[in-house]
């Protein structure tokens, strides 16, 4: 039986990418469970976690995928990106190299993800003010240059974590709902020939029974 938690108007797959240690898993646990872990437990990665929010009186369910540490070896498979309509590209504001590597992660997205994927550049660990190595303005202009939205967050003290996820989900919602209006189709094509149906790549039985993404129900 489907409980209230399973009722939603839209299901969006979002992927977390960026160097190891930047706080991806903690952003996920902060947003979906309001939890933070001081230790890095990269091996105990969940495949994804979900949380629903309201946008424009619609229930938008985010299915947020986390790596299990494969990013260390740049060994993320294309299945990870398949069906994703949004990506949070995370770096650590106290580690310049993780910011420099954002360029490589963008390339990875170009190679593996949908061409229209919505990308948000996220400077995490904003609580580490005294250790800041990446100026906000520099990251902001890099984001502008590459057509990304930008935000600084702290999974530790919760700053902007809600806002980051809300903003990217609202942005995706706007794109998808406008296309539905324009095309009048219940199923939205995110880019030519690619229908958003993350359900097809879901690993668990339970989730696989859910309503296909992006249909009005
Ligand atoms: P991942 O490898 O990108 O998934 O990073 P993790 O979420 O495992 O975090 C790596 C380390 O950074 C852990 O020790 C976390 O406690 C720490 N961390 C994560 N987010 C923050 C943050 O916002 N502020 C601070 N100070 N530490 C953080
Ligand atoms: Mg992790």
């Amino acid at each position: 039986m489907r409980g209230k938690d399973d009722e939603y108007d839209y299901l969006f797959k979002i992927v977390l990418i960026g160097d190891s240690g930047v706080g991806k898993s903690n952003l996920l646990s902060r947003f979906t469970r309001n939890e933070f872990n001081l230790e890095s437990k990269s091996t105990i990665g969940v495949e994804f976690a979900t949380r629903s929010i309201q946008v424009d009186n619609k229930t938008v369910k985010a299915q947020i995928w986390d790596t299990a540490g494969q990013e260390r070896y740049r060994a993320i498979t294309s299945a990870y990106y398949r069906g994703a309509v949004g990506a949070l590209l995370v770096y650590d504001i106290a580690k310049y190299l993780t910011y420099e590597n954002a360029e490589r992660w963008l390339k990875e997205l170009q190679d593996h993800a949908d061409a229209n994927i919505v990308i948000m550049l996220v400077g995490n660990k904003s609580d580490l003010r005294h250790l800041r190595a990446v100026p906000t303005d520099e990251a902001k202009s890099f984001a502008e240059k590459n057509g990304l939205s930008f935000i600084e967050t702290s999974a530790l003290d919760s700053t902007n974590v809600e806002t980051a996820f809300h903003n990217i989900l609202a942005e995706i919602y706007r794109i998808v709902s406008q296309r539905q209006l324009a095309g009048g189709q219940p199923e939205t094509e995110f880019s030519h020939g690619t229908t958003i149906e993350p359900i097809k790549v879901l690993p668990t039985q339970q989730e696989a029974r859910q309503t296909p993404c992006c249909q009005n129900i």
Side-chain angles (χ1 to χ4, degrees):
M1 212 167 77
R2 276 170 60 162
K4 215 171 173 6
D5 284 354
D6 280 337
E7 287 167 16
Y8 51 83
D9 299 296
Y10 294 87
L11 174 64
F12 295 149
K13 175 176 171 179
I14 309 283
V15 290
L16 290 163
I17 53 161
D19 283 6
S20 175
V22 297
K24 298 181 297 298
S25 299
N26 274 284
L27 283 168
L28 179 63
S29 62
R30 176 62 80 196
F31 181 63
T32 56
R33 304 192 301 276
N34 200 18
E35 282 175 18
F36 180 83
N37 241 303
L38 264 177
E39 293 152 60
S40 195
K41 292 187 225 154
S42 56
T43 46
I44 318 173
V46 287
E47 247 167 343
F48 62 81
T50 59
R51 186 179 148 190
S52 294
I53 63 157
Q54 294 297 118
V55 181
D56 227 16
N57 287 323
K58 301 276 186 207
T59 303
V60 171
K61 182 170 178 170
Q63 184 190 73
I64 307 149
W65 286 56
D66 189 18
T67 65
Q70 319 91 301
E71 73 275 29
R72 202 164 297 168
Y73 319 102
R74 298 206 171 260
I76 297 177
T77 62
S78 50
Y80 186 72
Y81 298 105
R82 196 170 305 139
V85 291
L88 294 188
L89 199 181
V90 187
Y91 67 92
D92 177 344
I93 66 133
K95 289 213 174 85
Y96 198 83
L97 183 62
T98 67
Y99 166 72
E100 274 188 333
N101 283 338
E103 206 128 21
R104 293 164 69 174
W105 286 110
L106 272 184
K107 173 89 172 51
E108 168 99 358
L109 282 173
Q110 277 160 14
D111 291 346
H112 295 102
D114 187 289
N116 290 323
I117 192 167
V118 174
I119 307 166
M120 176 179 270
L121 181 67
V122 179
N124 188 41
K125 308 198 187 181
S126 62
D127 55 284
L128 299 178
R129 286 168 203 88
H130 51 300
L131 297 172
R132 179 184 284 276
V134 184
T136 306
D137 285 348
E138 186 179 337
K140 205 184 263 176
S141 41
F142 172 79
E144 273 166 22
K145 207 178 76 198
N146 289 280
L148 323 173
S149 44
F150 170 68
I151 197 165
E152 287 187 346
T153 59
S154 168
L156 185 144
D157 69 16
S158 295
T159 303
N160 277 345
V161 176
E162 288 279 313
T163 311
F165 283 100
H166 273 254
N167 286 0
I168 193 167
L169 289 167
E171 197 176 334
I172 297 163
Y173 167 79
R174 270 194 300 275
I175 294 169
V176 168
S177 55
Q178 271 167 20
R179 281 190 198 179
Q180 280 183 345
L181 274 181
Q185 294 171 322
E187 266 186 49
T188 303
E189 288 203 6
F190 200 68
S191 79
H192 192 66
T194 315
T195 308
I196 318 167
E197 272 188 290
I199 304 304
K200 283 185 180 154
V201 295
L202 293 182
T204 63
Q205 293 262 311
Q206 191 208 350
E207 293 279 335
R209 283 197 297 268
Q210 289 179 352
T211 316
C213 168
C214 311
Q215 281 186 328
N216 277 313
I217 53 172

